[in-house]
Amino acid sequence: MFNRKVVGVSVGFSSCLAAGVGLNFFKKNSKLDNNEKGTQKTEAEKRKILLDGYELKQVQVIIRHGARTPIHTMLNTEQVDYSNQMFIGDLPYTVYKYQAVNLDGGPRPISTYDAHYSKPERLLKGGAKRGWLTKLGQDQMYQIGRLLRKQYIQEAKMIDSEFNPTQIYVRSTNTDRTVGTARCLVAGMFGAEALSKLQEPVKIHVRQQSEDELLPRTGVCRVLRQINHYAMIHGGDLSGLRENRLLIEDLLGFEPDGTPGKHKLNFIDVRDDIVARETHGYPYPEKLKPHRPMIEENASKVMYYAFCAHQESERELAMKLSTGPLLKLLIDTAENAEQLGTKMYLYSCHDSTLVGLLGTLDVYDFNWPPFGSHVILEMYENKEDKKKYVRVSYNGKDQIVRGCSSELTSLEDFKKNVGHYAIDKKEYNEVCSSNILEVIAKDVMAQEKGEIEDSEDKERSDTPAGM
């Protein structure tokens, strides 16, 4: 069942920080105190980090970027003005010396997504790029960085109060908004002034998108592309979604052409535009407001289907391909904590990353992860028997993950229950190039029979839902 209650993120605005033009504008004009703005308190600040009888050894943080300009905008609807002056530019308290580098230490690879967003015909009204981390988004991430400082530096005393690259490893997907998110998180944890005094710039590690475990790779994995294609191109024809889609299309003045898969509207696009407006204080069409919960619910369904599949028969396969490489990275990092030595890992990612991960852990509540949503994997050592234990939280609330009986569970039990979703590079490549969907998901393949993709469909299928 799809619950409409939205999970909030623990970020609060500090009045002394909201000094920029953009932030004053947001505070004055935002009428909806929504979760994407991150102004609501949650369980994050109440969590007890130190546990009796256990020593905290390692923390891995997987976080969605902060508030951004829309990637998708509604057709038949006047765009709002996202001016560079109002939204773009680095907040002074997040600025310090940093460098985005390849995992091997070489120069940052070219971002295919950012190149696409930057095309002149893709720019938003007002001149801003699509998918750009705004000043509000930067402040959100700075505030979460302050929370991480309070929890893991001041309370747990797990890492030093000054940035030490041997203690903390920073990684991001190769987009400007996630690199900017990582920058702001670190600024919140250690302070821009102190970071500017370091002899070497802070390194933010990225990877070529076709090889990145932090992102569902629909563009290179044929099988995952087919699952994503089914959700993005044909999801609007599924029972329930089709009726709702036709209603919203009618409200926006579309003439339906009746061709399966050739929709004027995608719920993910509509949600993306509405959320960007709500978050930054802009209105959206009044006629859509009574249907806002329905739009949210259907967009969340399509997103889940893209990375965790629509049919139960293909669900495990979808989860292994969308999230398995990331899950293997997280488990390997926890297992080898002593050898690696690093205390904290920050992974700056996307909603597509979190939906797949939450679904695989069986804790997804079918609410779209708001800006700044984060999964934290804490690894503890029992002081008596020295066994490793893990605890998973989502937006500050501890979770009981798939197959486990308690929030704190042994690493061995964690691996036993979710480890079979983890996938190494060799198996990943073998499955991606196989014909397994023809065997287990004939309905997906039937939709593609005789189908001719146009350029828009191809772009949709190659790109992870939501990006």
Side-chain angles (χ1 to χ4, degrees), residues 10-146:
S10 176
V11 190
F13 260 79
S14 170
S15 59
C16 64
L17 298 177
V21 173
L23 296 184
N24 281 330
F25 174 83
F26 302 140
K27 294 185 74 177
K28 183 174 69 174
N29 292 280
S30 295
K31 293 183 171 56
L32 179 64
D33 190 31
N34 76 355
N35 297 297
E36 299 286 354
K37 284 163 54 185
T39 55
Q40 296 184 0
K41 300 291 184 183
T42 68
E43 301 298 316
E45 292 174 306
K46 305 174 186 176
R47 285 186 76 236
K48 184 179 178 182
I49 304 301
L50 296 179
L51 304 179
D52 294 339
Y54 295 87
E55 181 180 355
L56 181 60
K57 289 290 190 177
Q58 184 192 80
V59 175
Q60 299 183 72
V61 181
I62 307 97
I63 186 167
R64 185 192 177 195
H65 56 75
R68 56 160 172 77
T69 57
I71 295 173
H72 307 287
T73 51
M74 291 180 281
L75 299 175
N76 281 19
T77 305
E78 184 179 357
Q79 287 192 29
V80 297
D81 192 321
Y82 291 97
S83 68
N84 282 324
Q85 178 187 9
M86 193 73 74
F87 292 92
I88 307 305
D90 296 338
L91 292 174
Y93 50 88
T94 70
V95 176
Y96 56 90
K97 295 183 296 182
Y98 78 96
Q99 185 180 12
V101 299
N102 203 344
L103 288 189
D104 62 8
R108 178 185 177 183
I110 294 172
S111 171
T112 54
Y113 292 126
D114 286 335
H116 179 66
Y117 300 145
S118 300
K119 291 178 180 178
E121 66 271 19
R122 296 280 296 168
L123 295 180
L124 296 165
K125 181 181 178 181
K129 295 178 184 177
R130 292 173 187 258
W132 198 260
L133 185 69
T134 63
K135 292 176 180 176
L136 173 60
Q138 293 175 56
D139 188 73
Q140 287 176 326
M141 298 302 97
Y142 178 87
Q143 298 295 345
I144 292 179
R146 299 295 292 173

Side-chain angles (χ1 to χ4, degrees), residues 446-465:
Q447 291 279 9
E448 292 189 8
K449 189 175 182 179
E451 184 178 40
I452 300 175
E453 281 189 346
D454 58 23
S455 58
E456 183 179 353
D457 288 348
K458 184 179 185 306
E459 180 183 317
R460 283 283 193 185
S461 303
D462 289 341
T463 305

